[in-house]
Amino acid sequence: MAASQNPAPGAPGIDARWTSSAKSGVGTALTAASRTWFTISHGILNEVYHPRLDHACTRDLGLVVTRDDGYFSEEKRHARHDVVWFADGVPAFHLTNTALDGAYRIEKRILTDPLRPTVLQSVRFTPLSGVAADYHVYALLAPHLVNAGMGNSAWIGDYKGVTMLFASGRGQFLALASSLPWREASAGYVGTSDGWRALSASGRLDARYASASNGNVALTGEIGFTATQDLALLALSFGPSADEAGYNALASLNAGFDAAARSYVAGWRDWQKDLLPLDQPGHKGPNLYRTSTAVLGTHRSSSFPGPAIASLSIPWGFDKGDDDLGGYHLVWPRDLVETAGGFLAVGLVDDALEILAYLRTIQEADGHWPQNVWLDGTAYWSGIQMDECGFPLLLADALHRTGALSREMLLSYLPMVERATAYLLKNGPVTGEDRWEEDSGYSPFTLAVEIAAMLAAADVLDACDRPEAARFARETADCWNDQIEKWTYASGTGTCAALGVSGYYVRIAPSDLSGAASPRDGFVPIKNRPPGDADRRPDLIVSPDALALVRFGLRAPDDPRIVDTVKVIDASLRADLPQGPVWYRYTDDGYGEHPNGDPFDGTGQGRPWPLLTGERAHYELAAGRPQVALDLLGTFAACAGPGGLLPEQVWDGADMPERELLRGCPSGSAMPLVWAHAEYVKLLRSLRDGHVFDMPPQGPARYIRNSTTAPFRSWRFNNKIRTLAKGKMLRLELLAAATVRWSADAWVTAEESATCENAFGIHVVDIPVSHLVIGQGVEFTFFWLDAQRWEGRNFGVIVAPE
């Protein structure tokens, strides 16, 4: 039966999976015409994204080599892989895959066509044993056009008489064409009738199928290599129709690889020439500065100006299926601002401005930003992370301080700033999730961002002639800053005794809805631990997050509380690896491979994060130890994978080569992590400048040099303080107008005070109780004016040592 009349059996195929997140390269052309991004690992193409940076279109595209004697070799599994960049900062790649058994060598050059949505691979096949006629070389393509494995369709067809491998899904189409005509081709269902299954069994496509509809599909085609034709050009192209995908493939083939490469390389070299010269002298191997900037540039969207996704990868993707559509190819506002900081560090102010404009566009009506979003602003996860509400304010202020925002532009951002500040004021200081997206409560990192963001917002508000709003933001920042230790600093613990320290900042202290939290009370439910082994006392969990108090300028690096915390962090979380020290996220973290190397599946064991080495280096620089910071820069760089990409985590156990886990080398988590590359370039800038590049200036001036404190403590329904320091006034902050009835003598006498609405829609009244002594207190209740009703219960605050 002719192939065109032969549909594949075995629908819909086995459950779909993604692929390795350990990328050795990522790339895209810097043109709007391309709108295509590629990733590589293990010597082959992995996920390709089109027409948006957040939509994966393929699982992988690799080669299989067979002989008629039953020989079977898959280059991604059975070859040694070497990867070389075309040039420093140009994300196009030379790949060399040499069979472990010495049978063949495959050389590839990979990039995207700047003129079309096409990924081009120039492929040379060289027999190292025998002759070309002995071998068959097949391309295997797994389409994931629906950003998932199931629901795709594939078929063998032609465009203008040229046979191509086609697939479709979600209104998108792809075509895979070869400059050397396909000798034979087949479409099938993965695990039942796909080409890999046939080739591994017999070395040939014994059955050739013309189509496979609505399932987990695969396409296979034999490349027509001969003794005299050992070089083929493969074009993987996309379009809104099969004909347009076919047209793009044929046009790219006709134009050739070299023309595309000249334009591609020129585009990236032109972009790189405007960067600050932060290259490390005498550096051997890939220039990690240029690599990092290229990673930042590659992860930007061309269809939505401004955003950058967290990573072109899916952590432990080989173990993930269609239940993980987002992976890391989503926008996290925190990561995006960190990326903007990277652009600012290298001199790309306009890129940071585009990010700020994007953040303004996707801000929710109530002022906060979603936990993460697709490029169009649609929320993916629904958590509320208060640091993500503060980071955009820090970016706006940073751009304002650089002079990049004219007064007219600054006024255009005023509504964004006002809404975000109002959200922080109304909903902080407690966060729904910390920066690791897991636990609610009082986090030193989140508090540092919130407070720094309010001070930054106040400067912007002042510049926009909003002095009363600015004053309230600063006063609240002062109030929260005064209480950081009350909320997050533990003393007199067993850890203190064991390490000889007076105290330390905990990772996070749980909120107490009935009153004030304590870093020694309650439990923190670690969300990536097995059931029954999740709860920990807050004083038993520490994190490098506390160093944010220095990074954001709220505490001096030589503050004894910080110095003691560093001792606790190093005793608990430092991993001494071959390249140097790398730190864990927090005590008993479970986000990482299991001890036996199995991938993270909701539980596991946390592994060291290279970006935390970068954060530690920034702390050392702030503390006046630039050589230590420089040494840590080297450790940070040595965590990179073979293509120079920085991973989310590195492996800290014994070598498990069968699982590709080697001590000190990237684990199965995300690689590259854009946040890590942004931290790396910021560290380069900080070392050049001799101070922390992205430290906001307001905190050091206000709290370290001038020791500013607040004359009051604030009470609100989401933060009902139970105690008040002697000499402090009590500020009540409500979300509706009220008359407050209060008494400082157990209701022997009572007074009434009316709230006043401020610029942020907060109804405020200050209760003058600064004369009370320790042990005395004030009680109060509310008459709600709009509802014309009493609250129906009393609340109280007692004066006590803070």
Side-chain angles (χ1 to χ4, degrees):
M1 179 181 292
S4 60
Q5 302 172 337
N6 191 10
I14 61 174
D15 289 343
R17 288 288 181 268
W18 291 102
T19 188
S20 172
S21 58
K23 309 305 181 188
S24 53
V26 295
T28 190
L30 294 177
T31 60
S34 179
R35 292 185 301 143
T36 305
W37 297 258
F38 68 87
T39 69
I40 57 175
S41 78
H42 297 83
I44 69 169
L45 274 177
N46 289 153
E47 294 97 347
V48 174
Y49 296 79
H50 174 85
R52 290 170 35 167
L53 186 58
D54 55 352
H55 286 181
C57 289
T58 69
R59 178 186 186 273
D60 55 19
L61 169 57
L63 304 182
V64 166
V65 179
T66 70
R67 292 193 300 251
D68 291 338
D69 61 6
Y71 177 83
F72 173 88
S73 178
E74 190 173 8
E75 60 173 342
K76 71 178 180 181
R77 290 187 173 93
H78 305 132
R80 185 184 73 250
H81 312 116
D82 297 305
V83 56
V84 177
W85 289 56
F86 269 35
D88 286 340
V90 178
F93 303 92
H94 296 274
L95 306 180
T96 302
N97 301 328
T98 305
L100 296 174
D101 60 11
Y104 63 86
R105 181 175 62 248
I106 295 171
E107 298 166 274
K108 302 179 182 179
R109 295 180 294 161
I110 300 179
L111 46 72
T112 56
D113 186 342
L115 299 180
R116 301 169 191 88
T118 302
V119 181
L120 288 170
Q121 291 190 84
S122 171
V123 182
R124 185 181 302 277
F125 177 76
T126 304
L128 301 179
S129 174
V131 297
D134 296 335
Y135 293 91
H136 307 277
V137 182
Y138 296 87
L140 272 67
L141 171 63
H144 276 46
L145 281 160
V146 297
N147 202 31
M150 305 305 290
N152 294 271
S153 297
W155 67 97
I156 309 303
D158 74 88
Y159 176 78
K160 304 300 182 182
V162 177
T163 299
M164 297 186 185
L165 283 56
F166 289 94
S168 67
R170 199 185 55 194
Q172 289 292 322
F173 295 77
L174 66 76
L176 178 61
S178 173
S179 62
L180 298 181
W182 303 111
R183 286 201 178 109
E184 55 182 6
S186 181
Y189 295 100
V190 174
T192 58
S193 55
D194 64 288
W196 187 93
R197 185 179 179 88
L199 294 174
S200 62
S202 66
R204 297 301 300 268
L205 288 178
D206 297 326
R208 286 172 285 161
Y209 304 111
S211 63
S213 300
N214 193 27
N216 180 15
V217 300
L219 287 156
T220 308
E222 184 182 0
I223 304 171
F225 287 118
T226 67
T228 58
Q229 293 182 310
D230 62 350
L231 184 65
L233 181 59
L234 302 184
L236 176 64
S237 298
F238 301 90
S241 67
D243 280 347
E244 188 164 333
Y247 167 83
N248 288 327
L250 186 55
S252 291
L253 287 183
N254 288 339
F257 186 90
D258 290 342
R262 284 193 296 272
S263 177
Y264 186 100
V265 171
W268 276 100
R269 283 181 168 160
D270 183 64
W271 187 79
Q272 287 275 342
K273 72 179 175 57
D274 294 327
L275 306 185
L276 294 176
L278 301 178
D279 311 76
Q280 285 287 288
H283 182 78
K284 296 181 179 179
N287 183 327
L288 192 53
Y289 171 55
R290 299 293 166 173
T291 296
S292 294
T293 54
V295 168
L296 298 187
T298 297
H299 283 77
R300 296 179 305 168
S301 170
S302 55
S303 51
F304 292 83
I309 61 171
S311 177
L312 284 165
S313 71
I314 298 172
W316 300 283
F318 59 87
D319 196 52
K320 302 281 185 69
D322 288 357
D323 56 345
D324 190 349
L325 299 180
Y328 275 14
H329 47 276
L330 295 158
V331 178
W332 272 262
R334 172 182 45 255
D335 294 48
L336 185 56
V337 174
E338 298 283 12
T339 300
F343 285 134
L344 284 175
V346 304
L348 296 181
V349 176
D350 288 346
D351 295 80
L353 280 168
E354 285 189 349
I355 287 174
L356 185 65
Y358 174 79
L359 287 165
R360 174 175 57 182
T361 303
I362 68 165
Q363 184 185 28
E364 298 292 346
D366 65 0
H368 86 283
W369 278 269
Q371 180 178 359
N372 53 20
V373 298
W374 300 104
L375 290 178
D376 60 11
T378 302
Y380 185 64
W381 291 339
S382 59
I384 299 293
Q385 299 173 10
M386 296 300 288
D387 68 313
E388 292 197 311
C389 302
F391 267 115
L393 295 173
L394 291 169
L395 177 58
D397 176 61
L399 286 165
H400 176 226
R401 286 186 281 106
T402 66
L405 292 175
S406 66
R407 178 170 174 79
E408 181 180 1
M409 293 174 66
L410 192 64
L411 286 170
S412 75
Y413 282 100
L414 180 60
M416 181 199 87
V417 171
E418 290 178 322
R419 288 197 304 269
T421 307
Y423 192 90
L424 284 174
L425 292 167
K426 291 175 180 178
N427 296 279
V430 170
T431 184
E433 293 179 349
D434 63 348
R435 75 160 168 169
W436 305 121
E437 310 191 280
E438 295 177 358
D439 289 302
S440 65
Y442 296 89
S443 156
F445 184 91
T446 303
L447 286 166
V449 175
E450 289 175 314
I451 294 165
M454 286 190 289
L455 295 178
D459 281 4
V460 174
L461 292 165
D462 268 339
C464 295
D465 301 322
R466 299 292 193 275
E468 289 304 309
R471 177 188 58 79
F472 189 82
R474 289 192 183 98
E475 288 178 349
T476 303
D478 295 345
C479 179
W480 293 2
N481 183 67
D482 286 350
Q483 299 176 88
I484 289 174
E485 283 69 37
K486 176 183 176 181
W487 292 327
T488 67
Y489 189 77
S491 58
T493 70
T495 300
C496 293
L499 297 178
V501 298
S502 297
Y504 51 91
Y505 295 96
V506 301
R507 172 207 167 198
I508 195 166
S511 58
D512 182 348
L513 297 181
S514 65
S518 165
R520 296 190 61 179
D521 295 337
F523 293 92
V524 174
I526 300 177
K527 294 186 178 178
N528 50 43
R529 302 288 304 177
D533 187 34
D535 289 347
R536 298 288 190 277
R537 288 204 327 266
D539 63 287
L540 296 179
I541 311 174
V542 294
S543 171
D545 287 2
L547 298 184
L549 297 172
V550 175
R551 181 72 171 265
F552 291 95
L554 309 187
R555 298 292 181 270
D558 59 353
D559 185 312
R561 296 166 298 193
I562 292 291
V563 173
D564 279 353
T565 300
V566 169
K567 293 177 183 176
V568 177
I569 290 169
D570 286 351
S572 305
L573 302 174
R574 172 173 165 152
D576 289 312
L577 299 176
Q579 64 267 46
V582 187
W583 282 264
Y584 300 96
R585 296 194 304 173
Y586 59 80
T587 314
D588 289 339
D589 182 13
Y591 183 55
E593 284 90 350
H594 290 268
N596 66 356
D598 283 348
F600 174 77
D601 55 5
T603 65
Q605 180 176 315
R607 306 295 167 182
W609 284 56
L611 77 85
L612 295 177
T613 295
E615 291 186 354
R616 177 58 173 267
H618 271 109
Y619 166 74
E620 297 294 342
L621 182 62
R625 295 184 285 270
Q627 185 57 52
V628 176
L630 186 61
D631 292 343
L632 290 172
L633 174 75
T635 298
F636 195 178
C639 292
L645 304 185
L646 289 168
E648 181 180 63
Q649 301 174 41
V650 290
W651 180 245
D652 58 337
D655 288 355
M656 295 184 182
E658 71 282 3
R659 291 182 176 270
E660 300 182 358
L661 295 172
L662 303 177
R663 186 169 178 81
C665 295
S667 72
S669 58
M671 186 168 74
L673 185 66
V674 177
W675 180 7
H677 283 280
E679 180 70 6
Y680 182 80
V681 298
K682 284 192 284 187
L683 182 55
L684 288 174
R685 175 66 182 271
S686 296
L687 286 166
R688 190 203 74 168
D689 294 351
H691 59 82
V692 177
F693 165 74
D694 59 354
M695 181 184 291
Q698 297 89 349
R702 196 168 184 86
Y703 303 130
I704 298 175
R705 292 193 290 274
N706 295 329
S707 302
T708 303
T709 61
F712 65 90
R713 293 290 179 264
S714 60
W715 183 102
R716 74 258 301 274
F717 275 90
N718 68 337
N719 190 40
K720 304 184 192 77
I721 63 171
R722 290 179 292 184
T723 62
L724 182 71
K726 185 179 183 301
K728 298 295 183 183
M729 181 172 56
L730 178 64
R731 173 168 289 181
L732 305 179
E733 300 176 7
L734 311 173
L735 299 183
T739 298
V740 180
R741 179 170 292 177
W742 58 277
S743 174
D745 57 10
W747 298 109
V748 174
T749 61
E751 298 189 43
E752 289 189 350
S753 302
T755 62
C756 181
E757 185 176 9
N758 68 12
F760 299 107
I762 301 171
H763 299 263
V764 180
V765 62
D766 290 333
I767 306 298
V769 293
S770 56
H771 63 283
L772 297 180
V773 299
I774 291 176
Q776 292 181 325
V778 58
E779 296 179 83
F780 49 92
T781 191
F782 309 103
F783 181 75
W784 302 106
L785 298 180
D786 292 342
Q788 287 292 295
R789 66 171 180 83
W790 287 97
E791 174 65 23
R793 56 177 172 158
N794 295 341
F795 304 92
V797 176
I798 295 175
V799 177
E802 192 165 81

